[in-house]
Amino acid sequence: MIQIIVSVFDRASNAFGRPIFVPAIGAAIRSFQDEVNREAQDNTMYHHPDDYDLFELGTYNDEDGSIETLDKPKQIAIGKQLKS
């Protein structure tokens, strides 16, 4: 099965977080939106949504272990736009 590789970019630290593998872009956006709106004292995405964006990095094939990366990460969600 082909999995989509995504990562959250933190503008404050100018770095991408650890990549995660999801079955579809929509699932990644939903999870990112849930985290941006999860109120918790230690949740920096909730307190600073302007600092975080979600990017697609490529694909992973779990049948043969191959990874294909995009030439350039593709922005798929902006934290501040998903804050409710």
Side-chain angles (χ1 to χ4, degrees):
M1 182 165 111
I2 302 294
Q3 298 281 314
I4 309 295
I5 306 168
V6 298
S7 178
V8 174
F9 181 75
D10 179 348
R11 294 171 191 263
S13 66
N14 197 37
F16 284 91
R18 182 174 294 163
I20 61 170
F21 302 83
V22 294
I25 294 292
I29 294 171
R30 179 181 58 213
S31 178
F32 179 63
Q33 182 174 17
D34 287 349
E35 190 62 16
V36 166
N37 289 291
R38 183 180 61 84
E39 187 174 359
Q41 184 65 29
D42 64 344
N43 184 356
T44 57
M45 282 192 213
Y46 176 81
H47 295 289
H48 307 282
D50 291 357
D51 290 345
Y52 298 96
D53 298 321
L54 184 64
F55 284 81
E56 177 183 359
L57 303 179
T59 58
Y60 167 68
N61 184 330
D62 65 8
E63 292 178 11
D64 63 15
S66 63
I67 294 175
E68 292 185 23
T69 59
L70 300 176
D71 290 335
K72 181 179 178 184
K74 177 183 174 185
Q75 187 179 57
I76 55 175
I78 298 170
K80 68 182 177 182
Q81 292 180 347
L82 297 178
K83 185 76 170 180
S84 52

